[in-house]
Amino acid sequence: DIVMTQSPATLSMSPGERATLSCRASQSVSSNLAWFQQQAGQAPRLLIYGASTRATGIPARFSGSGSGTEFTLTIGSLQSEDFAIYYCQHYNNWPWTFGQGTKVEIK
Amino acid sequence: QVQLVQSGAEVKKPGASVKVSCKASGYTFTSYYIHWVRQAPGQGLEWMGIINPTGGSTSYAQKYQGRVTMTRDTSTSTVYMELSSLRSEDTAVYYCTREAIYGPVPEYWGQGTLVTVSS
């Protein structure tokens, strides 16, 4: 199985700051990489697919980049509703696997 | 609009089985695969398996082979996930999720079903 590793585990940021989250795959997943946001008590919400394409309705402050084994999610200017846990996930083949998550918390 | 509505919370004893349902609406049921993902309390997301609603074919994560069964009922646009021989470590929220129109990405999610395994 492909292992997805996210860093950092926690990111302490202030509103308005730029956040950069990283995700590494143990082997190439091409661009078959998605990012999700999860608020407490809610299902995950798809933000990015194809490593860099925003899903429907996702604000432009969210952007993704990378291919192969190294990926980045950038939140351009943190809004109050962006403080949450973020997961990367590969869908290159089965089994899908997820990173362990990065918690973006208010500093 | 696409909706996946799951059955309610369950409390089960160790060794028992649980069957969670996921009723789809707002699209052609047989057009998209459904996956099941679970999340233990305070933990990350874990893929359990996939079902093709058209023919009912399935593929399961190795960890759950022999314990999980995914089925579907095309007459009610519902998929089911049954997990047997429950243990405390199976306490989790179970989600069904549908692939996106643009590829095998989990775009639509059910609201989740909490399964608690406790004696």
Side-chain angles (χ1 to χ4, degrees), chain B residues 9-108:
Chain B
E10 303 260 14
V11 179
K12 296 292 183 180
K13 293 194 182 301
S17 297
V18 69
K19 192 171 186 177
V20 179
S21 68
C22 171
K23 184 173 176 58
S25 63
Y27 70 98
T28 301
F29 177 66
T30 51
S31 294
Y32 298 92
Y33 289 7
I34 296 284
H35 300 249
W36 288 89
V37 173
R38 82 175 190 180
Q39 186 171 36
Q43 302 300 309
L45 300 160
E46 183 178 26
W47 183 81
M48 298 181 69
I50 179 176
I51 182 166
N52 179 348
T54 298
S57 60
T58 56
S59 181
Y60 304 137
Q62 190 167 6
K63 175 178 180 177
Y64 301 101
Q65 291 275 0
R67 280 212 303 146
V68 70
T69 304
M70 296 177 189
T71 56
R72 96 285 189 227
D73 181 343
T74 55
S75 69
T76 60
S77 299
T78 302
V79 298
Y80 301 90
M81 187 284 299
E82 184 170 21
L83 189 63
S84 62
S85 302
L86 290 168
R87 34 207 187 232
S88 59
E89 310 89 87
D90 294 317
T91 294
V93 176
Y94 291 76
Y95 294 101
C96 60
T97 175
R98 198 209 84 173
E99 294 187 355
I101 192 170
Y102 36 77
V105 185
E107 182 176 19
Y108 297 97

Side-chain angles (χ1 to χ4, degrees), chain A residues 3-61:
Chain A
V3 177
M4 307 300 292
T5 304
Q6 292 185 239
S7 61
T10 304
L11 206 49
S12 297
M13 309 288 294
S14 299
E17 288 190 314
R18 180 186 184 92
T20 302
L21 289 67
S22 297
C23 174
R24 172 176 293 176
S26 61
Q27 61 189 78
S28 177
V29 297
S30 187
S31 294
N32 297 314
L33 189 284
W35 288 94
F36 296 86
Q37 177 194 70
Q38 189 176 34
Q39 302 283 2
Q42 296 185 18
R45 178 174 71 143
L46 177 65
L47 299 175
I48 301 284
Y49 65 93
S52 61
T53 303
R54 280 189 302 277
T56 304
I58 301 303
R61 64 181 181 273

